Amino acid sequence: MRAHKLTFAALVVAAGLSLTACQNDDAAVGQTDPSSAASASATGGGSGSGGPEADSGKESAGASPGGKDTAAPAGSDGSGKVAKCTTDGLEITAKDNFIDGDPDGTVAVELKNRSGGDCVISGFAGVDLKTAAGSLSATRTGAPGDPYVLKDGKTIAFAINYPLNETGGSGVRITGLVVTPPNETKSVTLAWPGRGSLPVTDGSDSGSVKVGPIGSAGQGG
């Protein structure tokens, strides 16, 4: 009887161990399946062309060329080039600039930009004195400076130097001043603001009247 009881107890223990093993196997299978499904889902989302991650990547890639375009320098096609100053866009005036004690007379010719926009000016203006004996062209003297951007409403000037008539005679009467801006063919005629005459000289008067480059009489406001 005791032997039967031991045998029955051993069967009960064995059955319990078998049931525990089956439960552990079922639990292991249950953990494996969800894990495999999550991994497949993530792989499918990442490789799909219509996923949010793909759309975001496309937008980011498209923003880079746009940034380069907006950073391109403006006016590279030459549209920002400043035009030269023209006779019609300048208000030209002349005034006596003689200082007591100077060996020669000086007239300052001012060119004010009235064009409505900036313009470039440089070099020498053409200068002719109208006299009772005919026209007298001034000789250029000095070195021209670099091209100057003359802002709208601003003034730049150049100087005319001429010999003073200290002979005691009437000399050669000056009746007018003709100015042609640099690189222009249209002239303006102004009243002569300096001394009224030039000394009479033997032969040609060439070189007696001199004109400096643009800016040689200072820059106005």
Side-chain angles (χ1 to χ4, degrees):
M1 186 69 180
R2 183 177 181 181
H4 288 292
K5 287 181 178 180
L6 290 173
T7 301
F8 179 77
L11 290 173
V12 171
V13 171
L17 292 172
S18 177
L19 181 61
T20 302
C22 290
Q23 289 176 348
N24 289 339
D25 290 342
D26 291 341
V29 171
Q31 292 173 356
T32 301
D33 289 345
S35 176
S36 299
S39 176
S41 175
T43 303
S47 62
S49 60
E53 294 86 354
D55 290 342
S56 176
K58 287 179 182 178
E59 291 173 1
S60 177
S64 179
K68 289 181 181 179
D69 291 342
T70 55
S76 58
D77 59 355
S79 61
K81 184 178 180 180
V82 180
K84 72 172 184 178
C85 297
T86 64
T87 304
D88 291 335
L90 295 170
E91 178 184 332
I92 304 175
T93 57
K95 64 181 181 181
D96 186 15
N97 208 31
F98 173 72
I99 299 175
D100 288 338
D102 285 353
D104 296 319
T106 303
V107 166
V109 178
E110 297 181 342
L111 302 93
K112 187 170 187 176
N113 184 2
R114 289 294 195 186
S115 65
D118 299 347
C119 63
V120 175
I121 193 167
S122 65
F124 291 86
V127 171
D128 294 283
L129 266 60
K130 297 172 70 175
T131 74
S135 181
L136 176 64
S137 296
T139 302
R140 295 175 178 180
T141 182
D146 294 331
Y148 181 82
V149 177
L150 188 61
K151 299 290 185 180
D152 184 41
K154 296 299 182 178
T155 300
I156 197 166
F158 64 88
I160 301 172
N161 297 106
Y162 62 97
L164 298 174
N165 180 18
E166 297 177 337
T167 63
S170 60
V172 178
R173 186 168 56 90
I174 303 172
T175 60
L177 170 64
V178 181
V179 175
T180 308
N183 303 309
E184 277 284 87
T185 57
K186 185 176 182 179
S187 303
V188 295
T189 301
L190 308 172
W192 175 251
R195 299 290 182 90
S197 64
L198 297 172
V200 176
T201 60
D202 295 331
S204 173
D205 285 334
S206 177
S208 62
V209 179
K210 297 178 174 62
V211 56
I214 295 294
S216 59
Q219 180 182 337

